[in-house]
Amino acid sequence: MINLLERYAERHARAADVVTAVALCVCTLFGAQISTSESSPPNALWPAWILVVSSAAVLACRSRPRATLAVTATAAAVLTALGYLPSPLLLAPVMTALYWLAALTDSRTTALYGSATMAVLVATSLAAAPLGDDFILRTVGTVLWLLLPVSLGGSSRFRRAYLESVKARAVHAERTREEEARLRVTEERMRIARELHDAIAHHMAVAHAQAGTAAHLADTHPEQTRGILTDLVGTTSSALLELRATVGVLRQTADPDTDPLEPTPGLDRLPALVAGCESAGLSVTVSTEGEAQPLSPGVDLTAYRIIQEALTNATKHASDHAARVRLRYEGARLLITVTNDGTANGGAAPPVPGGGYGLMGMLERAHSVGGDLRAGLRPEGGFEVAATLPFQPRTPAKAPTDPPPDAPAGPRHEETR
């Protein structure tokens, strides 16, 4: 019932204030009739107008709580100075004004105005009857009755502030969930785009090189041409399989990691990757230092994709048609370097219309598992990609900040070659 009344009062504030003012006027009229042997209120009608004015002032308690308290306190002080007993009924307008002051303002303002009101009312009441039997009623009683609305108003203010904070936290949580959902969608789109680029771009580059080599040797070396064309069929088939696997993820309703369409590529497929590059005319040398350690699936895939993208760039741009891949297992890290001794156009990477995302994708992959990557031109000529990957993935915040050994002196990220 109380909650219903509160909701009605919030929706119809003006009607609630009018009803409150009328009720207070009735209360004060009854309060003016209460007296003791020491209290001697005047036998006149004009104090009734003070009661009416005091009750009517409550209509402005929501918009002007300080002014309302000043009017009601002045009216109560005049009545107590005339000898009226400061009963709860007579003090009802002041108590209502104190409640709204405590509910709508801060604690410091409430304490200042509340203490001043109590002091004025007690002083005027004692001036009318200083040493009567109702001394305690005029002093302690007045203070206690005025403290009651102050405490209730303060509780209402704290409750309203708590509800507002809860609502603000709920809005913030909802906004955070929406932002997190958008971030996850963006990350998933980036992951799929990276997979498509790494898989398809490599196979298409190798296929393009194989087709060019076959066309060049078709007349003079038919047997070698047939072998290259056979490799070209395998390259395009691998491209189609990886394209189907990546696009198939978009059609799955369950978690794509729970039921992959084909095994995730890793360093165990490095020989097939090297063979495909060699059939395209790129001579690849692979060396391993240290004892090979098992890698987590995410790190294994990242290592494979970095080598794949680096060899793709070497296939397209290395003027010496040779590349070296070095894997070094050191401590809890795998150090990967892919180098070539020369590039086209006198050692500068050829411009790519519109730019590209190869090096950016490698850098993002390395950071996603807590590793690091550097790529750039070598001082002695050629190009080098150097990556440091942990055996087990970790957050980028915990990733080592030291650059990989033998890293090129170029920038961390350059335009895709």
Side-chain angles (χ1 to χ4, degrees):
M1 186 64 181
I2 296 178
N3 292 333
L4 292 176
L5 291 176
E6 289 181 353
R7 287 196 293 268
Y8 179 85
E10 291 177 357
R11 291 194 300 265
H12 306 84
R14 177 55 58 182
D17 290 343
V18 171
V19 173
T20 302
V22 173
L24 292 177
C25 184
V26 174
C27 289
T28 53
L29 290 175
F30 278 106
Q33 306 301 318
I34 300 175
S35 62
T36 62
S37 58
E38 284 76 17
S39 61
S40 56
N43 294 322
L45 294 177
W46 65 268
W49 290 104
I50 299 178
L51 301 177
V52 174
V53 172
S54 177
S55 301
V58 177
L59 294 173
C61 59
R62 297 177 187 268
S63 58
R64 297 178 178 84
R66 297 175 180 84
T68 301
L69 179 61
V71 172
T72 55
T74 302
V78 171
L79 292 174
T80 54
L82 292 175
Y84 287 93
L85 183 68
S87 64
L89 295 177
L90 192 71
L91 298 177
V94 184
M95 296 171 63
T96 304
L98 280 174
Y99 169 83
W100 284 110
L101 182 72
L104 300 178
T105 61
D106 56 278
S107 300
R108 183 177 180 180
T109 301
T110 302
L112 179 62
Y113 280 79
S115 58
T117 301
M118 295 176 193
V120 169
L121 291 180
V122 170
T124 55
S125 182
L126 290 178
L131 298 175
D133 294 337
D134 55 359
F135 176 81
I136 300 298
L137 189 61
R138 289 178 176 274
T139 56
V140 179
T142 300
V143 173
L144 291 179
W145 285 117
L146 295 181
L147 284 176
L148 178 60
V150 171
S151 62
L152 292 177
S155 300
S156 177
R157 183 179 73 251
F158 293 143
R159 179 173 176 272
R160 186 168 57 253
Y162 171 75
L163 294 178
E164 291 177 355
S165 65
V166 170
K167 185 183 298 184
R169 286 197 298 268
V171 172
H172 176 72
E174 184 67 23
R175 184 168 60 250
T176 302
R177 282 195 296 269
E178 293 176 357
E179 293 176 354
E180 184 178 357
R182 287 195 295 268
L183 179 60
R184 288 181 178 178
V185 171
T186 302
E187 290 177 348
E188 184 64 14
R189 290 175 58 188
M190 292 293 295
R191 185 185 71 83
I192 294 173
R194 195 162 52 232
E195 289 292 337
L196 286 173
H197 175 274
D198 292 350
I200 307 306
H202 167 74
H203 290 299
M204 291 299 100
V206 172
H208 180 270
Q210 289 173 334
T213 303
H216 179 71
L217 300 177
D219 297 331
T220 58
H221 300 80
E223 293 296 330
Q224 187 176 356
T225 300
R226 280 193 291 271
I228 294 176
L229 292 177
T230 301
D231 294 337
L232 178 60
V233 173
T235 301
T236 55
S237 298
S238 298
L240 290 174
L241 288 174
E242 292 211 28
L243 178 62
R244 185 180 66 179
T246 304
V247 176
V249 172
L250 301 177
R251 298 181 177 179
Q252 294 182 2
T253 57
D255 186 356
D257 295 333
T258 60
D259 186 21
L261 298 178
E262 67 171 12
T264 303
L267 292 181
D268 57 332
R269 293 175 56 176
L270 188 57
L273 177 64
V274 171
C277 293
E278 289 180 342
S279 67
L282 180 69
S283 177
V284 182
T285 303
V286 180
S287 62
T288 304
E289 301 177 9
E291 183 178 356
Q293 300 292 331
L295 305 176
S296 68
V299 176
D300 199 16
L301 173 62
T302 299
Y304 177 83
R305 292 303 191 196
I306 289 175
I307 297 174
Q308 183 185 54
E309 179 61 26
L311 292 179
T312 300
N313 287 343
T315 300
K316 294 188 290 186
H317 304 305
S319 60
D320 58 348
H321 303 290
R324 295 183 300 278
V325 179
R326 184 178 67 173
L327 306 175
R328 187 167 75 187
Y329 295 87
E330 180 182 275
R333 300 183 301 172
L334 171 62
L335 310 179
I336 302 173
T337 55
V338 182
T339 59
N340 61 78
D341 291 331
T343 58
N345 300 335
V352 179
Y357 300 96
L359 295 182
M360 182 186 301
M362 288 192 290
L363 183 64
E364 291 174 351
R365 283 187 178 277
H367 286 178
S368 67
V369 296
D372 196 13
L373 181 138
R374 291 178 181 271
L377 298 175
R378 305 170 62 201
E380 61 273 20
F383 199 86
E384 179 173 278
V385 175
T388 302
L389 305 177
F391 291 161
Q392 298 296 326
R394 52 178 178 260
T395 60
K398 300 179 181 179
T401 56
D402 297 335
D406 306 326
R412 290 174 57 90
H413 174 65
E414 296 181 352
E415 183 181 9
T416 301
R417 311 171 61 228

